Amino acid sequence: IAANIKFIKPNELVQSVYYNAELINETATSRETITWYLFQSLADSSFIEQFPLVAKYYQAKGADLPVKRIALAQKMADLFDQYIVYRPQMIRNWNKEKFTEDEAWQFYLWNDIKSNIGKNKIELNDELLLKLKDEQVQERIKQRFSKVYFFGISLITSYHLQVLTAISNVINISFLMINPAPGAYWFEDRSERHLAFLRRGGNEVLPTEGNTLLLNWGKLIQNTFWLMFQNDDVINLYDELPTLEPIGNSLLQNIQRQTINNETDIEKIFTQSLINDDSIKINSCYTILREVESLYNFIIHLIHVKKQIILPGEILVMAADIDLYAPYIKAVFESAPTKFYFTIADTSVRSEE
């Protein structure tokens, strides 16, 4: 039983920390609040006069005039939030009124927001470090968050790490992260293509080459681990859970084993017998319907031709957007001559209506 657990996103945690440190009110810097401030700023006559090309987008006559303005306001609120996280130096320049000609209209909106909400998140981060020395602030944060666990994330930014590092001196913060190669230090390895580019540029000292599949599919988590390991305390507290390596000698298990160990000699596993063992199959289908039909045909092939005993609970099918596939899965599997018990998870409420 899991109870008294609140699931929030990193940005919500940061907002709550600012609030409990008495740096902002509860909704001051929320994206929704900033959206409405921007909606008002876009209607200002001074903005329209200074930036007619931008205003032309939402000043056209018609019933959708306010719709376009709120859409632009929402987009700009999201963009400013991304700037704070990924382009903090640009925001620092704007705070000092340094901006290029192309940035002028965005700076106008940013400056207008500042006059309404006060300090932005970059300035709040600097103040937070001082506030956390206050025992009353520490006690409020402890009462609000006894423990914090991060899981299911592959990307963390330096902005979030700065806040989390500061409050980790007050409360326990744990990251439960998937390391696809736990037995190897692969966080500074580079792919063969990247190394070839560096050689072409005349670099003599090159990083280590790593497993191509690991580096291509694990780019986000690699960057996150590299960023976290800049802090010596994180390295000292890093702990690995026991890992079970794939057992067997199929093509899939060999590729999994090489990925886990960050091995680069992948050619030796691609023998003709392994390629034909059916542990990995690639199908090129022209529609989603055909994809699902190919899946059904493959399951039938395993059961009737290969005589394999497979239980429904042993089959897991994953899709990038299950809402797109759900109606086709139902259409194919519910009308097929051989029926399989199945359930579809993680569909949105709208797709079920």
Side-chain angles (χ1 to χ4, degrees), residues 9-24:
K9 296 178 181 178
N11 280 341
E12 295 176 84
L13 173 65
V14 172
Q15 283 284 112
S16 185
V17 169
Y18 289 154
Y19 173 69
N20 284 279
E22 297 181 334
L23 294 173
I24 61 170

